[in-house]
Amino acid sequence: MTRDLITANVLTGFLGAGKTTLLNRLLSGPDLGDTAVIINEFGDIGLDHFLVEKVDGDIVLLKSGCVCCTVRGDLKDAVLALFERRARGDIPPFRRLVIETTGLADPAPIIATLAADMMLKYHFAIGNVVTVIDVPNGLHNLETFEEAARQVALADRIILTKTDLGSAEDSHALRAAVAAINPAAVVTSGDDSGTVAALLTQDIHDLASRPAEARRWVASARHADHRHGSEDRNRHGEIRALSLTMDRPIAWARFSLWLSLLVHRHGTRILRLKGILDVEGAASPVVVHGVQHLIHPPFHLAEWPCEKASLLVLITDGDLGDLQRSFAAFVGTQAEVRTAIPASL
Ligand SMILES: Nc1nc2c(ncn2[C@@H]2O[C@H](COP(=O)(O)OP(=O)(O)OP(=O)(O)O)[C@@H](O)[C@H]2O)c(=O)[nH]1
């Protein structure tokens, strides 16, 4: 028997960026009527509760501080309590859960809990992580607050809000800064009304959308790489993006040993990892995804979304040493492993 998993989305973004406004928009559309919401407010009074419309009864408000600090207790309990109410028929059988974090939350422990906790995993599948960033304050926040940069680094989808309060140049500069931190995420604007529901519904983990998603993030990574050059130019505060590519097929056992050691040593500092690999003996490309210590099970794509080669994009918090050298030591030679994405890919 296959279980029908409920998609759990994390909606994050810095203080006042427009998370609740976006959530209201999402919930008022026709595509997301069967959505439950968990909102985390920082401080004693949970105001946002009164600002989200149309989902009365399906909202759980966490009040005990920040989700990322209380994640193992509060969040897990709240998600399971919501699920039990659903199972008892107290609330409608929601098919999606959106967790709106506080503006100060680091989303990584939230994502890791959803993806790794055995009980949550049994009922929920993690969906897109959506980060809201506003044009008037976004650049400043990215430069000033590590949380803001981490929220961007962990996103699958990034939406620029308050474009009406800034110039086209401001939006452009923010897009460039965001792409430098997270070259693999899709970036859209809040005024692009056609795309709002797609932030959640075009799920990067869906089997059907995997090839298009892989094509898209390889293209985004290539675009960002060409615009910003090598690793040094992709730095943003302590958060940096690095691409590793290799033309020759990779031995899976060697790659997975390298990855295990890397995760063991630096797990919490690997904010995001995405790779499409040409594996020795495999007819089709292998895709790997990771957030911190959590590496999702690798899967095959039916065909190559780009030229046949291996590409790994790592977004890290701080300098993890010479990753090119360590990668090369395990899977190839120093000359074979490049940190710039070739134009052919
Ligand atoms: N002009 C303009 N204002 C916006 C836009 N999006 C949000 N706002 C306003 O910005 C303010 C903050 O929006 P919220 O949606 O509450 O932001 P939030 O990220 O949920 O805020 P916190 O939960 O406090 O972190 C509100 O007054 C919104 O009306 C936008 O696109 N344009």
Side-chain angles (χ1 to χ4, degrees), residues 107-131:
I110 302 168
I111 299 162
T113 299
L114 286 169
D117 182 273
M118 290 308 286
M119 285 172 81
L120 296 181
K121 254 170 56 173
Y122 195 72
H123 301 299
F124 294 87
I126 182 114
N128 292 349
V129 175
V130 178
T131 296

Side-chain angles (χ1 to χ4, degrees), residues 160-179:
L160 269 49
T161 55
K162 307 191 191 178
T163 47
D164 53 310
L165 300 179
S167 64
E169 289 73 35
D170 293 338
S171 293
H172 190 72
L174 184 58
R175 273 179 185 266
V178 158

Side-chain angles (χ1 to χ4, degrees), residues 74-87:
D74 254 20
L75 178 65
K76 178 178 170 182
D77 291 350
V79 174
L80 289 177
L82 206 55
F83 183 80
E84 277 161 23
R85 285 168 62 199
R86 176 188 189 270

